Structures are given as structure tokens and as C-alpha cells.
Amino acid sequence: MVGLVLVCHSAKLAESVAELAAQVGGGSLRIGVAGGLDQPGDPLGTDASRVARAIEEVWSEDGVLVLMDLGSAVLSADLALDLLPGERRERVLLTEAPLVEGAVAAAVAAGLGDPLQKVAAEARGALTAKASHFAAPATDAASAAEPLAPAGPAAEAPGHTLQIVVQNRLGLHLRPAALLVRAVAGFAATIAITNVSAGRGPVSARSLNAVATLGVRHGDQILVRASGPQAEEALAAIGRLAAENWGDPRESGPQGDEGASVSAPSSLAEGAALTPPPASGTVLRGLPASPGIAVGPARRLAADPVEIRESRAEDREADWAALQAALVAVGVDVRRARDSVAGRARGSDATIFDAHLLFLEDEELLGPARDGVLGEGKSASCAWAAAVSAAAAAWETLDDPYLRARAADLRSVGDQVLRRLTAAPSGRVPDGPALAPDRPGSGAAAGGAISAPVGADHDAAVIVVAPDLTPAEIAGLDPARVCAVACAFGGPTAHGAILARSLGIPAVVGVGRALLGLADGTLLALDGEAGTVTVDPPAVALKAAGDRRERRAREEAEAQAQAHRPAVTRDGVLVHVAANVAGPEDVPAAVAAGADGVGLLRTELLFMEADHLPSEDEQEQAYRRAAEGLGGRPLTLRTLDVGADKQLPYLHLEREQNPSLGLRGIRLGLRRPELLSGQLRAALRVAADHPVRIMFPMVATVDEVRLAGDLLDEARASLVAAGIAVPEHVEVGIMVEVPAVALMVEAFVPHVDFFSIGTNDLAQYVLAAERGNAEVAALADALHPAVLRLIERTAGAAAEGGRGVAVCGEIAGDPLAIPVLLGLGIAELSMAAVRIPAAKQAVRATDLAAARRLAGKALAAESAAAVRRLAGRR
Amino acid sequence: MSGIVTQEGVAAWLRAFAEAVAKNREYLTELDAAIGDADHGSNMDRGMQAVVGRIDGPSAGTAGGGVGALLKLVGMTLVSTVGGAAGPLYGTFFLQVGKAAGEATELTLAQWAAALEAGVKGVQMRGKAVLEDKTMVDTLMPAAQALSAAAASGAGLAEALRQAAAAAEQGMKATIPLIARKGRASYLGERSAGHQDPGATSSWLLLQTAAETLAAGAPAEVPGA
């Protein structure tokens, strides 16, 4: 009986294949294995002496068939023959048969007692079954895909060919190209594709970049040539893909109605980067984030170019490893994004991410990068940037504008990898020149009148289009160059949106991925109140936008004129409209905007700007300046609310897994009483001369208030003992951010003088959605009925106990939300200063009886969106 | 005596080669990383350390059997410890040189040159490589030819070995612009150009250490020893 020997780089592989073969070969089959090296650590490799030994072990006069995996296995098996006695060498055959299939087929034949030549032939033919399995449908697929008879020269060339007329509408753009590369990935074949129609190629079918650079468009004829053991299977797979219209939907009628039929992405659920850009006139709907109307060219916010500091690799291996790690990490990110989108979008839209993943594995990128690092000693980031740049440049030479635009996809993925490598923040604060107006003649100042029709003058500034913006990024926008912001993701209470409001930059968020498909320079009309972005607005829309902006400007002027008058509802109820400020510096602006006081003095900034714990005197001076700036208007001072996302290096706080739920606010103050005591003493000293109230943040339990009250008493006593003036009584209040407080207001009433509802954090905790997390931020909408119910509860219970309730979250300054809040029983609002004039106008427009009816409906609504609809209907 | 290759000289050569491989382990791996699978340095080092362990070990086969037996031991050690393609290739080289050297304990320059040629032929036969395929053959072949030519022209052993090493170095450097046609690097196609072949480099170390050590009995000549 013929013996078999398996030569593999890995002992496990050899043994597993042997096990598989033994199952079909019968009990008397002799199989020898030679896998791996007999060295410490079991290295992968092949050992000719082991091969020779294995051959000797299974030796019989009937001979031995040797199967092997690849590379050195072939050489080692070959050498093993030399190590055998000459007469035995004659009876040993080495075969190129595929290892697994060949071993199984040979085992069957050997088990049946076939002679060596027959066993070897069986092994070599072992792919037939698999090949025929794939070959059968290939015939159908090929005919469906209109294969042409191989041309003369093609027929003479070695290997197999397939000609296909590409029928899908956009040709072999990124997604079909990705499918193609993936389809052939598993086959042992050399596959080359030529775009016969365009005279491009041949290129390897294994590279996404290479295939895409063929520029295959609808109706182009491509020639696929394959050679190697699985050439036919590979061609069959391509044929099937063609028959499936390359994964694209089939058009029913004659094509020609251009983009309109495929592009109407308008919500978060639709539109991946591959979706053709939204058509002219499309109205993209998002969430209103910052009021105002703007018209201007889209400018996709370019990432800050990643600074590549090291051009040379200090340790090539380490740099190469770092690059590979970055590729893996970005792959994880991309997959996560894909999975996230797959849940919300049509299946095909998620496949753009598969294309991005292929970029990460593309030899056209990895090869040059590897050469750059390991060969030339470039740093990983330098070599990668060069590889990406070269590949993207190749895309950009293509005729098809659609394919050309894919360079952006490549650069985007490349950029992600670079940021990983250099640990660069994704910060994308634009520099001036990058955001300079497209048209030099379009006017110098933002806010130019929009009276002319399409194509005429628009704002000199641009509308920044971005996936999402962090507060730092928003803060970095130059209002002279940026007239509005549109984000694909995010919610209106995300910190970035809050900042946009306080900066007075109109913004719409949560517009959806379609936004990102817009080309730079596309004219947009953005309405920050309606939450809409109109693409390439037609004349009538431009006119409407212009009218609305004019009306808005008039309204603003009127509001500003009335800002210093009290805000009284139609039915005569006075509403206290105060400002949220971050320090004494903000007070003059607040007063100028018409603030009736400061409803929230955040003290964090004072601590965050210092590199040491500010002394009691330093604090006292800052608080006094704020109070003095208010000229007798009341000041509510909130004690330090650090922890969570705001850290103070000199406090050396532990990094927390879940800082929003961690040691922050009053919790930290009680844990580090020296912090709180100093602050309370400083506040008391100012309160001796000014109307100052003290408010504790992040309270959850009555005990906390009691302990904080004890500290306040101690502070007062110590000041008195030192002969320093203190007020007889200071009002003390708490923030209502933790749902437990809203549910237990009655228990707190005996211990406090007032409540202030921090609706941002309250919404975050009620809806279990972190505000800073773009994926979920939109959930934390303070107009959600669940949040409104807690506001109503708080207002009612506090009023019963004779305590005042303010709202100091973002919705306090939202004209849409103000009637709802007043209807729920809130009589004090505190907001970013810029919002005060409009908020006062909103109060003046409100009839309290009608507001109560509205609030009643809002409480019964099922979602924040329903509340917004109700409130917007007034 | 300086015209004779001795068994002790061969052993010294192998130790020097092992040392050179160890010293250049990272460099070889680096070269291999550019166009291969980044294991040539570690594989060769593992192999040559094993070789040194055997020839200096208690069961050393150097006592009897002459240069042929010694080199056969080296070849068999390499085929079972290197793992990659270098294992069977260097293994074949030493087995063939050893076979040609036979049981003698001393070889003339001409005999040694013939043995080296046999080794190179073995490598070519095993790897099916020809000149300019960007492999170790590009180093070994011109070196063997230079050695034979020097022997034919009546040069002394030391001079002949120097000429062989020089030819080896030239051959190694000539691999830089070549496009690989064999082995893992051939997968890279044109991108393999611009990189020195790691196998050609380790082969140069082999010839270079031969020039430094094989003209035995004259350790004073060994630079840096």
C-alpha cells in the first residue's frame, strides 16, 4: 500500500490534515507527517530531515507520495529525496496537489490499494469536485453577463479568460470593485483585468486601487484573464458577480434620469458616503441646534493635517509593527461604524465601509508603506502618508468624476490611520486660508443681503459641513469666515451645539450621512430654527431664506431694543431671565444682553485656568468682580462641579471608568472639604455686600445637602471668629440634575431655599445617554416628555413648599421650549447671554393659560420630537 | 601550510560565520522584512547557533570522517533548524560541499574551489534559481567562479579567498536593482527592486568569513577577531 507524507510549516496543520485523510483511508493507511521545527517555541518551518524520516516511517515497496504546503516545504521535500538511499528515492513521488484535497483523495486511492502513479493522479485531480461545484453556475452567470468569445490573442495566452460588458449604472465604482476583489480573494489564481473599452490595464484583480483605476464605466467591456490552479473558479466567481449586477440594484427602465432616482437621502438613516450627493433642491432635515439663517457654500471641514514629526524610523521593526497596529485599530473603528450604520441604513450603504476596510488591506498601499518603513527606514507615518498620497493621486487622474471623488474616501481612511499612528487628536479647527471664501468677489463681510436669485451673491462666509464638531472645534471657527455649521451627527444638547448657540453661529445637527456627500462649494441654505439644510437652493428657496433672514434680523433688532425691559407674559406674569456665565469676564456681556441677573455662575473656569488651587482670596476677588458687574442684580454662585469630563490636574483625581456617574460636583466637595470650605468662605465674604446665592451641583441625597450646610455653617463661624463680615442669611439652593432629586423634591424643601433644574444633565441621566457621545447625544433631548414630567414634578412640589424653581439648562433659552417650561410652572430662566433678547421676546409672546395647555399636551406626548412638533405648531 | 584548507580551518570558518550571522541578525531580518517575511536573520541565527553547538558539542562528529563529515553535520543541522527556504538551500550547499570534500582532513585550493562549485550547483538545482533571480545564487556563483579562476591562475589560498569574497560582495550588491523571480520576494514583483536580497547578504557573510578564517593557522590575519 502506498504511504503518504504531509509536509507542512506547522505540526498542527500536518496532524490535522493527516487526521482528515485517515478517516477516509481506512485502518491500514500509512500517513507520515513532517510539520514545524523541533526547536524551542515550536517555530513554523519545514525540516528536510524530518521529511526523510517520515518517508522512511511509511516506506514500503509500493512507494510514498509526498504532499506539501508551500515555500520551503517544497524545497525541504525535494532535499529529503537526497537524504534517502538511492533505491528508495525512485519510489517516492512529490506532488503539487493541493494539500487538504490532495491528501484526502490520495488517502482514498491508497486505501484502495492503487499503485503510486494512480494515487498521485488522484491527488492532483482532487480539485475537480470543488471546481465543478463552482463551475456549474458560472456558465449561466457568464451568459447572463454577455460573455464574448475569447479574442484570438487571448485564446493563445495561457490561462482562462472571460469578457464581460459591465451593465450596472455606475460601472466598477468603489463598491463593485470591492466586491470583485473580495470575490477573487480566496482563489489560487493570478487574475488580471483589462478595460478593453478604455484601453486601461491589465491590472491585478486583487487590488482595489488597481481595479478602480481601470475606470470601468457602464457599458465598458472588460477582459479578465486568470491562470493558476483555481483560474476557472475565480472567473466563475467574477461571472456570478457580473450576473448579479455587481451588487447594484437593477434599473428597470432605460437609464438616464440621472441622480434623482438614486439619491434622496435626507435622514440619519440614509445615505452613506457612496450615495451620490444630494440633488439640487433637496431639503436635508436635521435637528435645530442654534438659531439663525445662513446661505453660503459648503465647506467640508478639513482635518488639521496630521503633523508627521519623525521622518525616519528609529527602529524599523517597531515602526512597521506600529503601522500594522494602527491599521488593525482603524479596521475595528470602521467595522464599528459599519455595524452602526447597517442597523439604520439600507444594506448596500453599509458596504462602503467594506471598501474602506479593503483600503486597509490593499497591497497597493501596504506594499509601498512596508517598503518605505522596512526598506528605506522611513517612519511609519511618513511611509503611510506617502503611500496614501500616491494611491489617491492615481484615483484623481481618472476621467469619471465619481471615481475621482473616491480619492477622498481613501484619504479619509488614510487620515484615520495617520491619526492613530501619531496619536493626533481628531481636532479639526480650520485655519483661516482653508476657509477663505471661494469667490473673491462675493463680498467682504458676513451677513450680506440675499436679494438676488440663484448664483448671485451669498454670504462671504462658508457653511461648515462636518460629521460632528467638538466644542474646541466650534470655538475655533472664525465667525467672519463661517456663517453656519451643519453636522451629520450629534444632538442639540451636545457641547458643540451649545457652544454654537452661545457664539451665535446658526447650526443644524443630526442631518445624516448624506450631508457628507456634498461637494465643497455646493451652495447651501441653512435654517437653524427649522433644522433644515437646502442643497443648491432654487431661486424661490433662496428668496425665502433671504426673506426669513431679513425678518429674523428685524426680530433680533426688536428683541435687542427690548432686551433691558422685564420679560412679562401676555397675561402679566413676570419671568426672571438670567444669564449663565463662566466667570466675571462674561458679566458685562450678560448685562448688555439684558440679563436680569446671573442664574448660574460656573466657578470651574477659575479653577481650570489656574495651575494651582485658587486661594480663598483669589476666589473672593473673582466672585466680587462678577457681583459688582451686575450692579445689584442677583448672582447665583454654583460651587465647583469638576470631575466627570472636567479635570483639574492639581487635584490628582483618579481616572474613572464612568465619570458622569462618578465623583463630581457636591460628591467631590464633600470628599475634599478643603475645596468646598474655601469656596464657601469666599462666597460668604462677597455675599456680605452683594445679593449672592449659593448653589450645590450634582446633589443626589438629602444627606449631602445637610453635610454641605454644615460646612457652610462652619465657614460662616470661622469668618465671624476672624472678625470678617458675613451676611445674616444666604440663600442656599441645589441643582436638580439627578432624577432622584426631582422625584424627592419634598424631602429637600426643608433644607434649601431654591432649586435650579440643570436640564442638560437631567436629560442625560433620565435617558441614559451621554451628551458627549455623538452616537447617543441626540437621545438626551431635554424636551423628552420624561424630562418634562420631572420638571413639572419639581416645579409643583417646590411651589407647594414655597420654593422657587429655575431652569438653567439649554432649553431655558430655546424660544420653542420657553412656553412649555412656563406652562410647567417655571418662572425663572437662565441661559447663554446671547439668547436673552430672543428668550424675553418668547416670554412676552406667551399666554400662560395657553402655555399650560401646551405643557399638558407635551407631558402626554410620546417623544421629544412630538413635543417639538406641538411647540412648533403654536 | 597557508595553501591548505584544514578541518580546523573549516570549523573556525563556521564559528566565524555563526558569529557574523548573530551580529547581523537584525540587519538580515530587516532586509528580509522589506521583501520577504522578516525571518531570515532569526532563522539563520537559530541554525548557525545549533551548528556551533554541534561541532563544538560532546557528540561532535569532527573527530573522524574529515571535512565531508563535518559539513554534512552542518548541512543536516541547518535543514532541521532553520525552517524557512534558507534551511534546505544552505543545507544543500553544505551537504554538497561536504560530499565533494569527501573524507579528507585537508584540501588544496583547487579541491576546495571544486567543492564550493559543487555546493553552488546544489543550491541552484534545489532552488531552480539562475543568476539575477535576486537570490543567494547571485552571491555564491560569482564567488565560486572567482575562487576557481584564482586557483587556476596559481594564486595563494588567502588571496583566492579574498577575491572570492570580493566577487561575492559585488554579486550581493548587484541584487539591489534586480526584480525578484524566486521565493517570497517574487510576489512583490517590481516592488522588490531597490532592496538588497537577504539570502545574497547572508551568503556574502559566508564568503567574507571564509576569507577571514579559512587560510588557517594565521589568526593574526583575522580582522577584528
Side-chain angles (χ1 to χ4, degrees), chain A residues 431-437 446 460-464 478-483:
Chain A
D431 53 351
L435 281 167
V462 298
I463 295 182
V464 165
D478 177 354
R481 296 176 181 281
V482 178
C483 62

Side-chain angles (χ1 to χ4, degrees), chain A residues 466-733:
Chain A
D468 198 4
L469 291 174
T470 66
E473 288 159 0
I474 293 271
L477 298 176
D478 177 354
R481 296 176 181 281
V482 178
C483 62
V485 170
C487 294
F489 307 109
T493 58
H495 288 111
I498 292 170
L499 197 61
R501 271 196 291 283
S502 75
L503 293 172
I505 300 173
V508 176
V509 299
V511 178
R513 207 164 266 282
L515 186 69
L516 304 178
L518 290 169
D520 271 0
T522 309
L523 193 64
L524 302 179
L526 177 142
D527 185 333
E529 264 166 277
T532 58
V533 178
T534 307
V535 179
D536 216 353
V540 57
L542 266 185
K543 173 84 165 59
D547 289 351
R548 289 198 57 183
R549 199 165 67 159
E550 270 174 36
R551 194 173 69 232
R552 195 183 148 76
R554 270 199 313 276
E555 286 170 2
E556 273 174 17
E558 197 178 318
Q560 189 56 48
Q562 308 250 358
H564 294 274
R565 294 181 44 235
V568 182
T569 61
R570 281 193 197 171
D571 35 0
V573 175
L574 176 70
V575 175
H576 189 78
V577 179
N580 296 343
V581 301
E585 304 76 17
D586 293 347
V587 169
V591 171
D596 299 327
V598 164
L600 172 60
L601 167 62
R602 298 187 173 101
T603 54
E604 293 80 57
L605 201 60
L606 177 66
F607 286 76
M608 290 168 81
E609 284 176 345
D611 54 4
H612 61 281
L613 189 64
S615 69
E616 182 184 319
D617 286 348
E618 286 171 306
Q619 293 185 53
E620 195 258 355
Q621 282 161 24
Y623 306 153
R624 186 173 295 279
R625 269 200 295 140
E628 285 168 351
L630 282 169
R633 296 179 186 84
L635 168 69
T636 303
L637 182 153
R638 184 178 71 183
T639 60
L640 194 60
D641 187 12
V642 293
D645 49 348
K646 304 185 200 92
Q647 287 287 343
L648 298 178
Y650 50 79
L651 290 184
H652 306 296
L653 298 174
E654 296 280 325
R655 185 167 285 281
E656 297 183 325
Q657 285 273 344
N658 204 342
S660 294
L661 303 180
L663 190 65
R664 54 172 288 199
I666 190 78
R667 301 171 182 184
L668 179 66
L670 293 174
R671 182 71 60 87
R672 308 277 284 266
E674 76 281 3
L675 275 181
L676 193 51
S677 292
Q679 212 176 8
L680 293 174
R681 285 165 56 98
L684 283 170
R685 285 162 64 182
V686 179
D689 309 312
H690 298 277
V692 172
R693 312 198 289 181
I694 293 171
M695 176 160 73
F696 298 113
M698 195 60 193
V699 171
T701 69
V702 175
D703 270 349
E704 289 167 344
V705 181
R706 220 180 264 130
L707 289 169
D710 291 348
L711 281 179
L712 184 63
D713 289 343
E714 282 172 26
R716 174 197 300 276
S718 68
L719 286 172
V720 169
I724 296 169
V726 292
E728 269 184 29
H729 176 74
V730 175
E731 286 198 11
V732 173

